[in-house]
Amino acid sequence: MAIFDKYDLSTIAKAVDLLYQRALESEALAPYFININMSQLRNHQLELLSHVMGGPITHRVETLKAAHQKLNIPGAHFDLIANLLQQSLSDVGIEDRDIKHIMEVVESTRNRIVKAQ
């Protein structure tokens, strides 16, 4: 059974909402979201997270590099948003072993998101 099948879409959406609420409250992360259509970004993140969880929505991870390249994201900020995601997933009731899998996939995208150092 896919992780996606264990949780309803509203649970995943709550995790995404919590993630961005926390990111916007973060002094370090909030500047990345200036002039960003947050509704569109939330929908995009919901699709991506659903894909990572084995849902029916397909998402090409290759698009991550193009979407993040101009942002010059340092590794510390990647770590911060990853930690906020992990916390948000936990807060909405995603099981620890499922979070571990999701976070492994997130970590595998690091080289597409973090600027070369």
Side-chain angles (χ1 to χ4, degrees), residues 80-98:
L80 183 55
I81 196 81
N83 288 335
L84 293 177
L85 174 60
Q86 186 171 354
Q87 181 183 4
S88 298
L89 292 167
S90 179
D91 288 350
V92 299
I94 306 294
E95 295 177 15
D96 287 344
R97 67 180 178 182
D98 296 334

Side-chain angles (χ1 to χ4, degrees), residues 77-117:
H77 289 178
F78 179 91
D79 294 339
L80 183 55
I81 196 81
N83 288 335
L84 293 177
L85 174 60
Q86 186 171 354
Q87 181 183 4
S88 298
L89 292 167
S90 179
D91 288 350
V92 299
I94 306 294
E95 295 177 15
D96 287 344
R97 67 180 178 182
D98 296 334
I99 292 172
K100 183 177 186 278
H101 170 78
I102 293 165
M103 298 313 298
E104 286 170 355
V105 174
V106 168
E107 182 59 35
S108 76
T109 68
R110 177 182 289 273
N111 66 343
R112 293 182 176 99
I113 295 173
V114 172
K115 72 176 181 179
Q117 301 189 3

Side-chain angles (χ1 to χ4, degrees), residues 2-97:
I3 296 172
F4 180 84
D5 295 327
K6 293 171 67 175
Y7 308 97
D8 60 47
L9 195 56
S10 67
T11 299
I12 302 166
K14 285 178 190 173
V16 170
D17 288 343
L18 275 174
L19 168 65
Y20 285 118
Q21 176 186 338
R22 290 170 171 154
L24 291 170
E25 292 170 354
S26 165
E27 197 172 297
L29 298 177
Y32 292 109
F33 302 101
I34 295 171
N35 298 320
I36 297 295
N37 180 329
M38 291 306 294
S39 177
Q40 185 178 21
L41 183 59
R42 280 185 176 99
N43 288 338
H44 178 75
Q45 185 64 34
L46 179 58
E47 290 176 359
L48 181 58
L49 190 54
S50 296
H51 170 75
V52 167
M53 295 173 76
I57 301 168
T58 57
H59 193 289
R60 292 182 29 209
V61 294
E62 297 83 26
T63 62
L64 291 173
K65 186 170 186 171
H68 294 90
Q69 188 170 18
K70 66 183 177 196
L71 298 174
N72 295 316
I73 298 171
H77 289 178
F78 179 91
D79 294 339
L80 183 55
I81 196 81
N83 288 335
L84 293 177
L85 174 60
Q86 186 171 354
Q87 181 183 4
S88 298
L89 292 167
S90 179
D91 288 350
V92 299
I94 306 294
E95 295 177 15
D96 287 344
R97 67 180 178 182

